[in-house]
Amino acid sequence: MSMTPRPSFLVLLGPPGAGKGTQAGRLAASMGVPAISTGDIFRENVKGESELGLAAKRYMDAGEYVPDDVTNAMVADRLGQADARAGFILDGYPRTAAQVDRLDEILAEGDAALEIVLEITADPEEIVGRLTLRAAEQGRSDDSEDVMRRRLEVYREQTAPLVDLYSRRGLLVSVDGMGGVDEVGARIGVALSKTPPSR
Ligand code: AMP
């Protein structure tokens, strides 16, 4: 058992390609809470050709955000499941101000609150390099260079402002995402251990 209590309601923020998914998986394993990636859920639905997948696909392929009402409904449903009661790591949500508000409501309904918003920073040119590599490895249809640039632009316009918003709430912890997976993971470990649990 770990002697240091860790926050269990955590959001990962950062541009596409910053390594959020990888770090979310590692943190989830060490904290014993699920990592919930809205991008993964959308991709599974696209693959399964569900109604949600059909609604999301054209936005994803264009590098745009899926509309807030669709995304929020999906997240409310997922966070309502039993395994998310004691905590979760959200990877890729919230991404807009309306999603921030909806997440606050969902948490309040469960008598919970966000404990940490972990920002993983990354240099845009390095990201394009990483995403190009990932496109080749995973064959993702939203990793072509045009779409990739659009995704970074949408991040800057709609999601980057959330960094300030959460910083003003005193929830933000930023970690440099450049470097190897273990190196970044170690930085995250240090940053989180310095952060006293708020509750
Ligand atoms: P990701 O794997 O997190 O980069 O997500 C892949 C794609 O899924 C994004 O480019 C969006 O089209 C969609 N998506 C994932 N999360 C969200 C969200 N919170 N809000 C809107 N669209 C999202």
Side-chain angles (χ1 to χ4, degrees), residues 37 41 46 50 83 96 108 161 191 199:
S37 155
I41 300 175
V46 168
S50 71
D83 67 332
T96 66
R199 287 143 39 94

Side-chain angles (χ1 to χ4, degrees), residues 16 20 37-40 42-43 56 59-61 63-68 71 91-96 99 134 140 142 151:
K20 295 189 301 295
S37 155
T38 44
D40 282 351
F42 281 135
R43 276 184 290 278
Y59 297 101
M60 297 173 75
D61 284 348
E64 305 293 338
Y65 286 168
V66 177
D68 284 331
T71 306
D91 162 17
Y93 181 94
R95 269 168 144 117
T96 66
Q99 293 179 14
R134 185 168 75 187
R140 275 178 57 159
D142 59 352
R151 292 172 70 216

Side-chain angles (χ1 to χ4, degrees), residues 35-153:
I36 299 173
S37 155
T38 44
D40 282 351
I41 300 175
F42 281 135
R43 276 184 290 278
E44 281 157 22
N45 277 276
V46 168
K47 216 188 267 174
E49 298 181 346
S50 71
E51 207 174 307
L52 176 65
L54 294 176
K57 187 176 185 333
R58 64 194 165 105
Y59 297 101
M60 297 173 75
D61 284 348
E64 305 293 338
Y65 286 168
V66 177
D68 284 331
D69 54 347
V70 175
T71 306
N72 283 337
M74 174 188 89
V75 170
D77 180 64
R78 177 63 188 88
L79 297 188
Q81 291 171 27
D83 67 332
R85 296 266 156 76
F88 47 71
I89 295 167
L90 278 174
D91 162 17
Y93 181 94
R95 269 168 144 117
T96 66
Q99 293 179 14
V100 169
D101 292 344
R102 184 65 188 115
L103 177 60
D104 286 342
E105 285 170 11
I106 295 170
L107 284 162
E109 282 158 19
D111 210 15
L114 268 189
E115 276 144 309
I116 302 272
V117 176
L118 176 67
E119 180 198 16
I120 303 185
T121 62
D123 166 64
E125 282 316 306
E126 166 94 19
I127 288 176
V128 173
R130 281 190 189 188
L131 292 181
T132 309
L133 195 70
R134 185 168 75 187
E137 285 169 2
Q138 300 179 355
R140 275 178 57 159
S141 57
D142 59 352
D143 272 353
S144 76
E145 181 149 352
D146 280 356
V147 174
M148 207 181 287
R149 296 213 178 265
R150 179 63 192 146
R151 292 172 70 216
L152 286 168
E153 203 172 82

Side-chain angles (χ1 to χ4, degrees), residues 114-118 166-173 195 198:
L114 268 189
E115 276 144 309
I116 302 272
V117 176
L118 176 67
Y166 281 126
S167 171
R168 282 196 299 273
R169 289 193 192 176
L171 293 174
L172 192 78
V173 174
T195 309
S198 52

